[in-house]
Amino acid sequence: MKMAKQLDARKVGVIAGWITLAVAWLVFQRRSGLGPLDATQRVIDTASGKWWAVIAFLLLSVVRPLVLFPATLLTLAAGLLFGPIVGVIVAAVGANAAAMTGWAVARYLAPSGVSSGRAVVQSWSDRLHRNSFEAVLLMRLLFLPYDLVNYGCGLLKVKWRPFILATAIGSLPGTVAFVLAGASIKRLDEGAKGINAATLAVSVALVLASIGASRGLKSQQQRAQKATEPE
């Protein structure tokens, strides 16, 4: 009983900290008048050329899912700050760190015996537990909302190894695409003006390749499922 109360108190503490962080972000936005895009550009202006830029980027990546800051903006920022090569490496590490943050928080707060609810959700829950790697990989290649996948997998208590491995592989095409796009523009607040046509073509090709791979993987899963069904 005492241990259960201590555990509940810890969960309340985590929730309170989470709410505090989210409220602080909302207050900052209101007082500064900066939206997510302008706030990202300010970070880029401040960190550009600084030795601590990579550390700051990774710390922001870890915190990002807790305030539901758009992952795409941070990935574009990696391209602007670090260029196409280093940017991909830093953004990939940051994306996986963010994924583990969401997964870990949701798993820690998930009540025991989580009910999956409706049939469609139950089907995905069963697939996640039966073949976690392929299910998570498919969701990443389909570009399903990044943080929703993280929190969902944590809530359903998907094992961390297949989750992070599938995330690292499945998120790479999108990461490369957005980092390249970010590296080819001068400022986020100027939009797509000045984006390099070749870079844009490569980015679009990577996104399409990711979607094509997801369709192929889904078809393979469906064929495998039919093969195991009794006639």
Side-chain angles (χ1 to χ4, degrees):
M1 181 67 72
K2 185 177 180 181
M3 184 176 294
K5 288 182 178 179
Q6 289 177 343
L7 187 59
D8 288 341
R10 290 176 184 174
K11 287 187 176 182
V12 169
V14 171
I15 294 171
W18 192 353
I19 293 173
T20 300
L21 190 62
V23 170
W25 166 240
L26 291 174
V27 170
F28 168 78
Q29 287 188 95
R30 176 164 295 192
R31 290 185 177 179
S32 66
L34 297 175
L37 190 147
D38 293 324
T40 305
Q41 185 59 57
R42 178 170 290 189
V43 169
I44 293 170
D45 293 338
T46 303
S48 182
K50 303 295 193 303
W51 65 266
W52 45 262
V54 171
I55 298 172
F57 183 91
L58 294 178
L59 288 175
L60 287 174
S61 297
V62 170
V63 174
R64 184 202 60 73
L66 300 179
V67 296
L68 298 180
F69 189 89
T72 303
L73 284 179
L74 210 55
T75 309
L76 287 168
L80 270 163
L81 274 171
F82 310 115
I85 299 176
V86 176
V88 167
I89 297 171
V90 175
V93 173
N96 285 284
M100 286 305 296
T101 297
W103 176 88
V105 169
R107 184 179 175 88
Y108 182 72
L109 296 178
S112 57
V114 176
S115 175
S116 301
R118 296 183 179 181
V120 174
V121 180
Q122 181 65 54
S123 174
W124 263 108
S125 175
D126 293 342
R127 184 178 296 184
L128 276 168
H129 287 96
R130 186 172 58 250
N131 199 333
S132 301
F133 175 81
E134 286 189 6
V136 175
L137 181 63
L138 180 59
M139 288 190 286
R140 296 306 191 192
L141 291 173
L142 284 170
F143 291 99
L144 294 186
Y146 199 78
D147 293 326
L148 182 62
V149 173
N150 300 335
Y151 288 126
C153 289
L155 187 64
L156 296 174
K157 299 184 177 180
V158 174
K159 292 180 179 179
W160 74 269
R161 287 184 180 178
F163 169 76
I164 196 61
L165 182 58
T167 293
I169 297 173
S171 300
L172 193 57
T175 298
V176 173
F178 285 108
V179 168
L180 290 179
S184 68
I185 59 178
K186 293 182 178 180
R187 294 182 62 85
L188 282 179
D189 50 13
E190 292 180 354
K193 184 173 67 174
I195 190 169
N196 183 276
T199 301
L200 179 61
V202 172
S203 298
V204 171
L206 285 169
V207 172
L208 292 177
S210 177
I211 295 173
S214 70
R215 291 175 66 89
L217 179 60
K218 190 174 183 179
S219 298
Q220 183 181 356
Q221 289 180 338
Q222 289 174 342
R223 288 195 299 269
Q225 186 175 359
K226 288 181 181 179
T228 57
E229 289 177 353
E231 297 182 359

